[in-house]
Structures are given as structure tokens and as C-alpha cells.
Amino acid sequence: MHEIFLGAAISGLMGFLIAVPALLLEASRRGKNLPIVSEIKVLWNVKLTESEVFAVSLLLHLVVATLVGGLYVLFVRSGWWLIVTGAPFELPSILLFTVVTWLVLSVIIFPILGMGFFASREGKWVWFEMLVTHVLIAVGFWLGVMYYHPFFF
């Protein structure tokens, strides 16, 4: 169980590090069109204020980043993901998993949040921003796993 928390922590840390430019821009109050963190302007058909946009966007970014790492370790440990790739904790396996989570997020979660398929109501390129963010989190997660590389990974 502790390896799932470690995977979630490593992935969440990568999500935070990727969000640092958005945090710095928000601190200087020049935070329109934040890099990496996709702006969520409408949630459940409620238009958000500028500060709410930043808070909700950052929260969703960090939750997704944390869940990607935790779920990856959970699926690898349960054996489900080994059927698909056969190579746990290798970069292609992690990249494939993050693309699958991006698809689930874009096709199931975003429409539930009222953002449309692939977050189409939030902007024309949000789907691409989310894909790039997922790939960056995957690479960061892989680097973190390779750095920490505990015996149970």
C-alpha cells in the first residue's frame, strides 16, 4: 500500500513542479492564459471569477497529477497493467498509461464537470495542453521513480 502513496507523491510533486510557472505568474497577477495549467473558466455551468479560475485549475491539475502516479502503481501492482505492456515502470509503459488517463479524463470526467468532451468548452487547444501536461507528468514520474527506485518498485 505504501508504494501506491509513494507513486502518488512522486507524481503529485512532478505536477507541482510543472505548475510553478503558473504559480509565479499568478503571484505577480499577470496570470491570464497560464502555462501548463489549463484554465477552467466554467464548472457545472457556473462562470468562475478570475481567482476561482486559478484555484480550481490548480486543484484539478494537482489532483490529476497525483492520481496518475497512484493509479499507475495500483494497476501495476494488481497485474492489470502488466498484461498491456509487460514492462512496469519503464517510460513507454508510463507514457501509454498517461495517454489512457488523458483519454478517460477528456471523454468521461470533463463532460461530467460540464466542460464538454476534451474540454472543448474551455478553449480550442485545451485538449492539447492537457496532453502535453500529461506527457510532462509521465516523464517526471519516470525520472522520479528512477531516482528514488525503492526496492518495491
Side-chain angles (χ1 to χ4, degrees):
M1 185 68 158
H2 56 280
E3 63 266 13
I4 296 170
F5 291 121
L6 180 61
I10 291 172
S11 189
L13 176 63
M14 292 307 129
F16 175 76
L17 292 176
I18 290 170
V20 166
L23 291 169
L24 294 175
L25 285 173
E26 179 63 19
S28 66
R29 294 313 249 158
R30 287 181 266 152
K32 297 225 184 234
N33 296 322
L34 300 170
I36 302 299
V37 177
S38 297
E39 293 182 334
I40 299 167
K41 299 173 191 99
V42 177
L43 187 63
W44 290 301
N45 296 322
V46 176
K47 187 169 172 58
L48 303 175
T49 66
E50 192 174 313
S51 59
E52 291 171 338
V53 166
F54 178 73
V56 170
S57 299
L58 184 62
L59 178 66
L60 181 66
H61 174 81
L62 294 175
V63 166
V64 167
T66 303
L67 284 175
V68 164
L71 289 175
Y72 179 79
V73 175
L74 177 69
F75 287 170
V76 165
R77 289 290 163 221
S78 67
W80 298 344
W81 196 246
L82 294 177
I83 295 169
V84 177
T85 63
F89 302 105
E90 294 298 323
L91 187 57
S93 173
I94 295 170
L95 284 171
L96 181 62
F97 183 79
T98 55
V99 168
V100 169
T101 59
W102 169 76
L103 283 171
V104 169
L105 187 70
S106 298
V107 174
I108 298 172
I109 305 301
F110 284 163
I112 290 172
L113 294 176
M115 297 166 57
F117 288 102
F118 294 94
S120 57
R121 292 185 186 155
E122 298 302 316
K124 184 178 179 181
W125 293 100
V126 172
W127 68 270
F128 185 70
E129 291 174 15
M130 291 297 291
L131 181 60
V132 169
T133 301
H134 272 71
V135 168
L136 290 173
I137 289 170
V139 170
F141 177 69
W142 175 73
L143 289 171
V145 168
M146 292 300 108
Y147 177 75
Y148 289 111
H149 211 306
F151 68 93
F152 45 80
F153 267 10

